Amino acid sequence: MSEHLFADATGFAGLALRPELLKALTSLGYEEPTPIQREAIPPLLEGNDLLGQAATGTGKTAAFALPLLHRLEPDAKGGPAALVLVPTRELAEQVSQAVHRYGRDLGVRVLPVYGGQPIGRQLQALQRGVDVVVGTPGRVLDHISRGTLDLSDVRTVVLDEADEMLDMGFAEDIEAILAETPQTRQTVLFSATMPPRIDGIARRHLKDPVRIQMGREASAPGEIPLVRQSAYIVARAHKPAALGRVLDVEAPTAAIIFCRTREEVDQVTETLNGRGYRAEALHGGMSQDQRDRVMGRLRAGSTELLVATDVAARGLDVEQLTHVVNYNVPSAPEAYVHRIGRVGRAGREGAAITLAEPRESRMLKAIERLTRQRITLEKVPTVTDLRARRLELTRAALESSLQTDDLERFRVVIESLTSEFDIETVALAAVKLAHEAAGGDVDEQEIPTPRETVRERPEGRDGKRPERRSGPAGAGVARLFIGLGRRAGLRPQDLVGAIAGESGLSARDIGAIQITDRFSLVEVPESAAEMVIDAVSQTTIRGRKPTVRRERYSR
Ligand code: AMP
């Protein structure tokens, strides 16, 4: 079992990537490719087109970014060699940061391009020369028509989250942009879903593509033990605090916490030790002896939490594990199944807990489909929950002491105090001291529920961004997406007129309205949402039949 521990440092070496890229991956703490990376990287390196079905969280960014960087010719003159189109500015920033990180040692010049950002900076960067452009279709097309972006040297085009781009009305823009790139280019399309419209784009623009589908139901589900499975949706910034809090409430006897990278393992271990847990990091590079010692401490109860990557935890077999915690949604549903196979052995009770960022909820769905088991979404414990839980632990400790300890020698204390205080008050003081000695009350901030409008919407061609709401629609309010915007000549009064006219709601019932170039968002009472969707989708507004549905990110 130990031989693979000393296999190549990254597990990426077999993929024949440039040494500069391998070095970057090692320093990022990536130990081995995710399934999508293993499948996508070789054909992409060979120059094939690719059609991939994969959601966020699978590692798809590196799957297309690494081959694209591998094929780059540093210091090449001329226009950008690669173009990545993404639906939102948030994703444009994320992807361009990822490309920058992976391509660090190649000196790659990456430019994110989206509206709402001063165009001057983009112009300067484009004039100086850029290798990879990552942009939203609207702004990319804007640069093309200004003559500030020349795509004639592009060798690879990536359409990332293509279904989202279509949903946002970018289909025509994408066609126009592709027409500006050489016919000989390599085209890569990733999409979380594969509706017929995506097939259409693939047929028109991809040449004999390699097809990859992650998390197919066909891949037989393994033996899933009966464990309690739950997930918490938490913004990235609050994950360390949320993990601590969930562990406080779960109070595992022995748990393993899975992280993506070695760096993350170290950070999480530190956080947990700072919170008073006895946590140990398990590293892939540890010798069998060292691993055995850590496992021994877990069995003996002197360590309660192990923090590890998948690679480091390979071959690990602990009978006593009560909890498996996924600090991130695993990059493939199969990895989830494999991880949680470690609890609930031999009819024992077990729990599998997953922390997911809002953008990763799709991956949870894929796991549910594969395992055909439900993952219950839970709320991160509040400060009040935590206080109640800690009081409960103190109560349980007192109860066990009452049942098993010899308490006689303390009677003298009670007797001397009861001359002055009644016995219940004395007991209260004793409980307080016991509670405080066990860690006492929490002095923590509430962890906010993630802002439910997670994604930035695409900006107008004129660079104006739609007015942005910073929070979720209030309780009892639904936000609807209507597929018509300024370009169709839509004005707020048209929407109010159509909704009030068709659904019978009064104008006062209609909440905030945002109109962007391509679509609009309207708030209506939750109780009337379905009725409004039905009514408005059957009508025409400014001569067009609009798509109407609930806004995806405001659930
Ligand atoms: P993505 O699906 O591209 O959004 O990636 C999800 C997360 O996984 C990102 O935070 C990446 O940094 C991380 N990641 C991607 N590939 C690997 C890998 N091979 N090992 C560990 N982490 C990875």
Side-chain angles (χ1 to χ4, degrees):
M1 188 205 69
S2 53
E3 70 276 18
H4 52 241
L5 296 175
F6 304 103
D8 64 82
T10 68
F12 277 93
L15 291 175
L17 289 163
R18 281 183 183 187
E20 295 93 334
L21 295 174
L22 293 178
K23 197 167 141 225
L25 295 174
T26 308
S27 73
L28 287 171
Y30 290 12
E31 295 188 317
E32 58 173 5
T34 66
I36 186 110
Q37 291 162 4
R38 202 170 291 128
E39 287 196 45
I41 292 174
L44 288 177
L45 287 177
E46 281 174 20
N48 290 295
D49 282 4
L50 185 133
L51 178 61
Q53 181 166 4
T56 298
T58 51
K60 69 180 158 66
T61 312
F64 65 71
L66 293 170
L68 173 161
L69 289 164
H70 181 93
R71 285 158 53 88
L72 222 59
E73 285 162 23
D75 307 323
K77 298 276 175 291
L83 170 70
V84 183
L85 292 178
V86 296
T88 63
R89 71 183 271 172
E90 185 199 39
L91 202 59
E93 284 189 335
Q94 265 174 32
V95 170
S96 81
Q97 280 161 13
V99 173
H100 183 76
R101 272 200 308 270
Y102 302 140
R104 204 186 47 183
D105 293 341
L106 294 169
V108 169
R109 299 160 304 174
V110 191
L111 181 68
V113 161
Y114 49 79
Q117 187 198 36
I119 202 155
R121 236 192 73 203
Q122 295 173 5
L123 291 176
Q124 279 168 16
L126 286 168
Q127 268 161 13
R128 278 197 304 270
V130 169
D131 303 300
V132 183
V133 169
V134 183
T136 51
R139 189 45 87 85
V140 167
L141 198 52
D142 202 10
H143 276 292
I144 295 175
S145 39
R146 284 165 184 252
T148 46
L149 176 61
D150 175 8
L151 297 181
S152 55
D153 294 319
V154 162
R155 299 175 62 205
T156 306
V157 174
V158 180
L159 307 176
D160 191 18
E161 307 213 347
D163 51 354
E164 294 281 336
M165 291 200 280
L166 294 190
D167 270 3
M168 292 181 159
F170 282 134
E172 286 169 27
D173 292 2
I174 292 173
E175 299 279 341
I177 293 166
L178 288 175
E180 297 294 318
T181 61
Q183 286 285 343
T184 50
R185 64 165 196 265
Q186 176 184 46
T187 314
V188 183
L189 187 156
F190 275 109
S191 188
T193 58
M194 285 289 164
R197 290 169 74 205
I198 297 283
D199 262 351
I201 293 203
R203 264 200 313 278
R204 282 194 302 283
H205 299 292
L206 272 57
K207 287 182 287 294
D208 196 14
V210 172
R211 288 168 191 265
I212 294 179
Q213 195 180 353
M214 299 317 296
R216 255 176 320 208
E217 285 178 46
S219 47
E223 266 295 294
I224 318 266
L226 285 174
V227 295
R228 173 167 56 89
Q229 299 177 51
S230 47
Y232 296 84
I233 310 285
V234 206
R236 186 185 303 202
H238 296 292
K239 275 167 84 172
L243 174 66
R245 208 168 276 194
V246 168
L247 289 172
D248 289 354
V249 171
E250 290 279 338
T253 311
I256 181 159
I257 297 155
F258 283 100
C259 295
R260 276 202 181 114
T261 64
R262 270 175 270 169
E263 267 171 5
E264 206 170 70
V265 166
D266 289 336
Q267 280 161 10
V268 167
T269 312
E270 199 172 304
T271 307
L272 292 174
N273 282 317
R275 207 180 165 92
Y277 281 102
R278 287 157 302 168
E280 287 201 57
L282 198 66
H283 282 291
M286 284 164 93
S287 72
Q288 193 55 44
D289 256 13
Q290 289 171 314
R291 289 157 56 89
D292 287 346
R293 275 201 292 278
V294 173
M295 300 313 301
R297 288 196 286 275
L298 189 73
R299 282 189 199 100
S302 59
T303 286
E304 53 202 343
L305 304 175
L306 284 189
V307 189
T309 57
D310 282 307
V311 171
R314 254 184 213 156
L316 193 104
D317 193 16
V318 202
E319 278 278 307
Q320 318 42 14
L321 272 193
T322 54
H323 289 68
V324 164
V325 180
N326 298 307
Y327 191 62
N328 317 91
V329 183
S331 55
E334 290 77 6
Y336 177 91
V337 173
H338 191 209
R339 288 181 186 177
I340 75 167
R342 293 199 170 87
V343 279
R345 295 272 176 88
R348 274 175 226 263
E349 263 183 55
I353 292 165
T354 304
L355 300 191
E357 287 173 43
R359 68 198 181 96
E360 291 171 330
S361 21
R362 234 197 255 266
M363 284 293 286
L364 289 177
K365 290 260 165 341
I367 292 169
E368 283 187 323
R369 274 200 303 277
L370 176 76
T371 59
R372 298 205 174 83
Q373 291 186 11
R374 262 191 82 88
I375 301 176
T376 318
L377 283 188
E378 308 270 7
K379 286 229 173 338
V380 175
T382 61
V383 172
T384 315
D385 295 338
L386 225 51
R387 293 212 167 112
R389 174 69 187 166
R390 294 204 176 159
L391 278 178
E392 169 54 28
L393 289 175
T394 300
R395 197 201 68 82
L398 288 171
E399 186 176 35
S400 131
S401 172
L402 283 166
Q403 283 164 353
T404 55
D405 288 349
D406 177 8
L407 302 171
E408 269 317 303
R409 69 192 180 95
F410 299 104
R411 192 173 294 280
V412 47
V413 179
I414 303 284
E415 278 166 0
S416 84
L417 286 170
T418 42
S419 57
E420 208 179 328
F421 304 96
D422 72 77
I423 197 157
E424 194 172 299
T425 312
V426 173
L428 283 176
V431 171
K432 170 177 180 282
L433 291 179
H435 189 62
E436 285 172 357
D441 258 342
V442 266
D443 181 19
E444 292 187 41
Q445 305 286 315
E446 289 293 2
I447 297 177
T449 313
R451 290 206 333 216
E452 291 170 62
T453 306
V454 182
R455 299 268 180 131
E456 172 83 7
R457 294 327 215 148
E459 58 289 335
R461 187 66 66 67
D462 52 6
K464 278 199 226 91
R465 276 194 291 141
E467 199 189 308
R468 200 150 69 101
R469 290 184 50 95
S470 54
V477 173
R479 198 176 301 156
L480 305 184
F481 169 99
I482 298 187
L484 288 180
R486 271 196 291 271
R487 282 204 195 161
L490 191 78
R491 300 158 307 166
Q493 55 267 41
D494 299 321
L495 284 176
V496 175
I499 294 171
E502 295 300 323
S503 70
L505 283 186
S506 93
R508 244 177 303 129
D509 292 326
I510 301 171
I513 294 181
Q514 291 168 259
I515 300 187
T516 76
D517 274 359
R518 299 177 184 75
F519 63 84
S520 312
L521 300 174
V522 185
E523 288 181 356
V524 298
E526 173 61 52
S527 54
E530 296 304 322
M531 190 257 297
V532 171
I533 292 172
D534 269 346
V536 177
S537 35
Q538 285 167 33
T539 183
T540 50
I541 307 182
R542 295 196 75 84
R544 311 212 356 213
K545 239 191 163 55
T547 310
V548 187
R549 56 169 160 75
R550 279 176 190 271
E551 210 257 315
R552 282 221 195 140
Y553 301 108
S554 64
R555 257 181 314 123

